[in-house]
Amino acid sequence: MKMTYRALLGASVAACLSGAAMAETTITVATVNNGDMVRMQGLMDDFYAKHPDIKVEWVTLEENILRQNVTTDIATGGGQYDVITIGTYEVPIWGKQGWLESLNDLPADYDVDDLLPAIRGGLTVDGKLYASPFYGESSFVNYRKDLAEKAGITIPDAPTWDDIKAAAAAMTDKDAGIYGICLRGKAGWGENMAFLTTMANSYGARWFDENWVPQFDQPEWKAVMTDYVDMLTKYGPPGASNNGYNENLTLSLQGKCAMRMDATVSAGSLTDPAQSEFADKVGFALAPDAGLGKRANWLWAWSLAVPASSDAKDAAKTFINWATNKDYIALVASKEGWRNAPPGTRTSLYANPEYAALPFAKMTIDSINAADPTKPTVKPVPYVGVQFVAIPEFAGLATSVGEIFSAALAGQKTVDEALAEAQTLAVSEMTDAGYIK
Amino acid sequence: MSTHSSRIAARIMVAPSVALLLLWMVVPLVMTLYYSFRLYRLLSPDRTGWAGMRNYTWFFQSPDFWLAMGNTLALVGGVLVITVVLGTLIALLIDQPVWGQGVLRILVIAPFFVMPPVAASILENLFMHPQNGLFAAVSMALGYEPILYLQDYPMWSVIAIVSWEWLPFATLILLTALQSLSSEQIEAAEMDGASAFGRFRYIILPHMMRAITVVILIQTIFLLGIFGEIYTTTQGGPGSASTTLPYMIFKQAIVAKDIGRAAAGGIIAVILANIVAFFLMRGIGKHLDT
């Protein structure tokens, strides 16, 4: 009896010891509920097979709520997450604040030089990579080839705004419920202001001059807003001031938008016969320019980063290396086909002949490469970011400006009133925040 | 019959729960007050210190503030009028003995159990949508251009959506009151030759006054904080046309990450709610005494 006790005791001590030797590290990963991230969670068997000592817990949230949670956690040093999913807006700000752990020490097989230069630039502060891109996107024009043919027009691969206006006019058939162009009108820094900031870049307008003085009182912004309101009022769907990314994508999938300018990442849905009746009739073109040498395309990457407050940094980096490595892209392709591979992060993906054969691959990479976060517009600017200004105050300010511009689109304000109001608001906020002395 | 010492004992015994309740209410309020006087932006941790009245003056100087106040009161007032008037009419209607009364009542009450963002999405996308909505289809069938509800009449649309949600609640309470009215009284009035309107005006309505008061009081408390419906449909826009006070505070707290301003807005909202409550209690609270 006594012997059995001892044996049991010994066995359990041994079990404890061996358990301690293979200590499991648990990391908490906060991510957004987009298709590509949900797919990643389905492929975790591969990760566990390679790293049995790391356990991953998921917190999957809708974009706005994720942003809200992660921001609060990191700003208050909560230390709730070991890996967070953030965008190109947050990375430069948080990197500078010292809130993120540098990823310069990822292993060699991560192959940092394979990252697309534009994306890598957007995630680097002072030579340090602070986040690893999971998927990247720019914006481009998608249109219905059958309607263009019917209207007897061709849309060039690299159109100007005049081409776009002419095409929108030719294809609009409101009685048939076909609208020439769908653009974002819903207020928000990530909605209408993302689009309008890129359009402004191509028109030579900018948010701030070198001394952080807002520029809405300049003629370039007047030209942008006049054309924007004009195009959407004449050729856009009714109620455009309420349409954001999702609303316009739905209208496009229903075939109601002859043309739309939005994120490259929607190409997957547009060309998917299961989602769109016009899957084989979709044409793509680069974002337009106004002859000033800048195209109206943005640059965004959902990226994984490690907060400085994490207590499992090594395990977090191991996970990030797995999720954003070339091998991961190959894994998705082998299991779910190339169309579903996370786009827009690595040169090697676009060198792959199978991927390059997809109808949107070349346009996507050309659009991403055309964006330069360090020189977003024609004139010099004191900020980094293509469709945003990488300062903490931008999200609040641009959302308020977005509301004013949305009201102008709805016809509640004239373009002049809206611009004057935006200028007053921006000057007051920038003064309050200490940028304007 | 309580002695002096037993009363003291009773007070000592309830003291912990009273203290806990006080803490429960006072701590958040004091914290909000504290932050409302601080410079506190989550994303700019290097700028801190006392803000004085700046967070409050920002609100009063904001061009949206008075609009938001007006919208908040319009929302509360509009929904109250619609739900009480329609609620009374529907309650009178389904109080009549008809075939399938039980099922009918459940159907009338059902919208109340739809969650606010869901209800708002349904009305926005299936009814008010300018391309896919039912109202647009009806107008087009009649040969008219579809009305852009959320763009041209944003505040009316929000009021309509919220009314749709709260109408069943009002109906339910009013119906219950109606059913407690003795039929003998009505029959007696009928025999005395009182008209249908007279019966309603002098018997039914006074009888329902208490229930109406309850509906108004309870709804006001909830309607002052309406947020989800605006967030899902108009996002406070176009421009600031449908921004209410809670939505304005949300924008400062969540979009701008300015805790100081949001706290100041919260205090302003508390004051507004108290003013409304004061007038409500004085104006209609007396019906509760009878």
Side-chain angles (χ1 to χ4, degrees):
Chain A
M1 195 65 198
K2 217 172 196 176
M3 283 301 286
T4 338
Y5 248 142
R6 286 217 177 126
L8 266 178
L9 204 67
S12 52
V13 167
C16 286
L17 282 176
S18 66
M22 297 199 13
E24 239 185 24
T25 318
T26 303
I27 56 170
T28 310
V29 180
T31 195
V32 60
N33 64 351
N34 292 354
D36 292 273
M37 277 74 174
V38 173
R39 196 169 290 126
M40 164 164 65
Q41 293 166 42
L43 297 170
M44 284 305 287
D45 286 346
D46 182 73
F47 179 76
Y48 290 133
K50 288 176 183 156
H51 305 282
D53 52 334
I54 300 175
K55 193 169 168 286
V56 178
E57 272 174 9
W58 294 97
V59 176
T60 311
L61 298 165
E62 186 267 326
E63 182 173 330
N64 288 327
I65 300 172
L66 170 86
R67 212 170 251 144
Q68 173 184 333
N69 268 15
V70 166
T71 310
T72 313
D73 185 60
I74 203 157
T76 54
Q80 212 180 331
Y81 307 117
D82 301 297
V83 175
I84 51 178
T85 308
I86 52 183
T88 36
Y89 169 61
E90 288 91 357
V91 175
I93 303 172
W94 297 4
K96 213 176 279 172
Q97 301 273 26
W99 289 347
L100 300 177
E101 182 77 7
S102 159
L103 297 180
N104 274 13
D105 55 348
L106 286 178
D109 72 322
Y110 174 73
D111 195 1
V112 70
D113 293 322
D114 186 37
L115 295 180
L116 294 175
I119 301 275
R120 187 179 166 184
L123 303 175
T124 303
V125 185
D126 299 332
K128 283 187 187 161
L129 185 71
Y130 279 106
S132 176
F134 186 77
Y135 77 75
E137 64 174 35
S138 183
S139 54
F140 59 12
V141 175
N142 61 264
Y143 60 95
R144 271 179 62 183
K145 284 197 255 183
D146 57 327
L147 289 176
E149 210 169 289
K150 200 174 129 202
I153 51 156
T154 47
I155 295 170
D157 281 349
T160 63
W161 281 108
D162 288 334
D163 293 332
I164 294 296
K165 276 183 261 180
M171 292 191 287
T172 301
D173 182 359
K174 289 196 177 176
D175 292 335
I178 304 285
Y179 305 101
I181 190 155
C182 298
L183 301 170
R184 295 184 184 187
K186 189 188 242 176
W189 73 267
E191 288 280 8
N192 65 345
M193 289 320 289
F195 170 78
L196 274 169
T197 305
T198 61
M199 186 170 172
N201 291 340
S202 71
Y203 274 67
R206 51 187 175 164
W207 269 85
F208 307 108
D209 72 1
E210 297 93 316
N211 300 316
W212 293 102
V213 177
Q215 299 290 299
F216 293 110
D217 53 355
Q218 297 299 308
E220 289 92 347
W221 267 107
K222 166 117 196 210
V224 172
M225 285 306 292
T226 311
D227 279 6
Y228 167 77
V229 172
D230 199 48
M231 261 192 291
L232 276 181
T233 322
K234 280 189 193 150
Y235 317 124
S241 69
N242 228 16
N243 290 352
Y245 171 80
N246 284 319
E247 289 81 0
N248 282 331
L249 179 60
T250 308
L251 288 175
S252 280
L253 289 172
Q254 294 170 341
K256 289 179 178 165
C257 296
M259 212 170 16
R260 158 176 170 268
M261 192 187 143
D262 217 303
T264 52
V265 82
S266 57
S269 321
L270 290 168
T271 56
D272 180 0
Q275 294 183 55
S276 162
E277 288 172 50
F278 306 92
D280 55 339
K281 300 190 184 80
V282 187
F284 299 99
L286 288 179
D289 68 2
L292 298 173
K294 282 283 172 198
R295 294 203 164 272
N297 45 2
W298 67 60
L299 186 71
W300 184 258
W302 276 117
S303 315
L304 302 179
V306 182
S309 54
S310 159
D311 53 6
K313 295 190 177 101
D314 290 333
K317 284 179 187 173
T318 307
F319 174 77
I320 289 182
N321 182 31
W322 172 80
T324 57
N325 200 296
K326 276 183 283 189
D327 295 345
Y328 175 79
I329 297 178
L331 176 72
V332 177
S334 71
K335 295 232 162 123
E336 322 217 356
W338 281 105
R339 187 199 297 281
N340 292 317
T345 59
R346 288 179 171 272
T347 318
S348 56
L349 178 68
Y350 292 89
N352 181 310
E354 276 183 86
Y355 191 79
L358 291 170
F360 52 83
K362 188 175 161 8
M363 261 324 156
T364 303
I365 183 75
D366 287 350
S367 300
I368 289 177
N369 285 335
D372 180 358
T374 58
K375 288 191 197 62
T377 179
V378 181
K379 292 179 190 167
V381 287
Y383 53 84
V384 175
V386 183
Q387 78 280 22
F388 54 80
V389 176
I391 55 170
E393 290 79 9
F394 181 77
L397 172 61
T399 299
S400 302
V401 172
E403 280 161 11
I404 298 171
F405 288 175
S406 173
L409 179 60
Q412 293 176 342
K413 291 184 170 91
T414 65
V415 165
D416 287 321
E417 283 165 3
L419 285 171
E421 215 175 291
Q423 178 71 7
T424 315
L425 178 87
V427 168
S428 124
E429 288 289 300
M430 291 305 278
T431 313
D432 207 29
Y435 287 84
I436 305 176
K437 297 288 179 305
Chain B
M1 198 58 198
S2 61
T3 63
H4 180 66
S5 53
S6 79
R7 256 178 286 148
I8 289 179
R11 274 186 201 151
I12 291 172
M13 277 189 246
V14 296
S17 44
V18 171
L20 205 64
L21 276 174
L22 266 179
L23 272 178
W24 179 267
M25 291 184 296
V26 169
V27 169
L29 191 65
V30 170
M31 278 176 72
T32 313
L33 256 178
Y34 169 75
Y35 282 126
S36 72
F37 292 107
R38 297 285 297 178
L39 279 179
Y40 185 15
R41 284 196 177 190
L42 276 184
L43 292 177
S44 317
D46 40 326
R47 289 201 303 123
T48 53
W50 291 99
M53 292 304 287
R54 250 167 82 188
N55 290 327
Y56 288 92
T57 48
W58 180 87
F59 263 93
F60 291 116
Q61 283 165 3
S62 164
D64 294 349
F65 179 71
W66 294 109
L67 179 73
M69 285 288 242
N71 280 343
T72 311
L73 295 177
L75 177 67
V76 174
V79 175
L80 281 181
V81 170
I82 294 173
T83 50
V84 169
V85 171
L86 282 183
T88 310
L89 293 178
I90 295 176
L92 284 171
L93 207 64
I94 58 177
D95 190 39
Q96 310 294 324
V98 288
W99 183 81
Q101 202 174 29
V103 180
L104 190 71
R105 281 179 191 167
I106 289 171
L107 282 178
V108 167
I109 290 155
F112 192 57
F113 302 108
V114 181
M115 284 167 238
V118 180
S121 303
I122 292 174
L123 283 165
E124 179 192 10
N125 293 312
L126 299 182
F127 289 86
M128 296 175 171
H129 196 279
Q131 281 95 38
N132 304 326
L134 178 72
F135 297 156
V138 171
S139 339
M140 297 230 264
L142 297 174
Y144 295 105
E145 283 280 296
I147 298 168
L148 306 177
Y149 294 96
L150 294 172
Q151 177 170 313
D152 294 344
Y153 310 101
M155 211 53 225
W156 285 110
S157 305
V158 172
I159 291 176
I161 290 171
V162 177
S163 301
W164 182 75
E165 284 167 14
W166 282 90
L167 185 56
F169 172 79
T171 310
L172 187 67
I173 304 274
L174 298 176
L175 181 65
T176 316
L178 210 54
Q179 284 176 336
S180 70
L181 179 65
S182 79
S183 54
E184 285 164 28
Q185 224 178 347
I186 295 280
E187 276 160 26
E190 228 174 327
M191 289 207 304
D192 288 344
S195 67
F197 177 78
R199 292 199 298 272
F200 174 74
R201 171 72 187 80
Y202 294 103
I203 299 175
I204 300 178
L205 202 56
H207 176 80
M208 286 169 81
M209 227 36 226
R210 243 177 113 162
I212 291 176
T213 309
V214 168
V215 167
I216 292 177
L217 286 178
I218 293 181
Q219 285 199 15
T220 306
I221 294 166
F222 284 98
L223 295 176
L224 274 172
I226 284 285
F227 168 78
E229 289 82 350
I230 297 177
Y231 181 71
T232 2
T233 55
T234 63
Q235 309 254 311
S240 318
S242 57
T243 296
T244 58
L245 200 52
Y247 197 79
M248 214 177 156
I249 296 168
F250 156 79
K251 276 198 318 206
Q252 285 310 313
I254 303 303
V255 184
K257 296 272 184 313
D258 194 323
I259 306 302
R261 277 182 196 169
I267 297 292
I268 295 173
V270 167
I271 295 170
L272 174 75
N274 275 297
I275 294 173
V276 170
F278 176 78
F279 283 108
L280 267 184
M281 289 313 272
R282 288 202 80 184
I284 62 165
K286 56 179 187 282
H287 293 295
L288 287 175
D289 300 337
T290 52

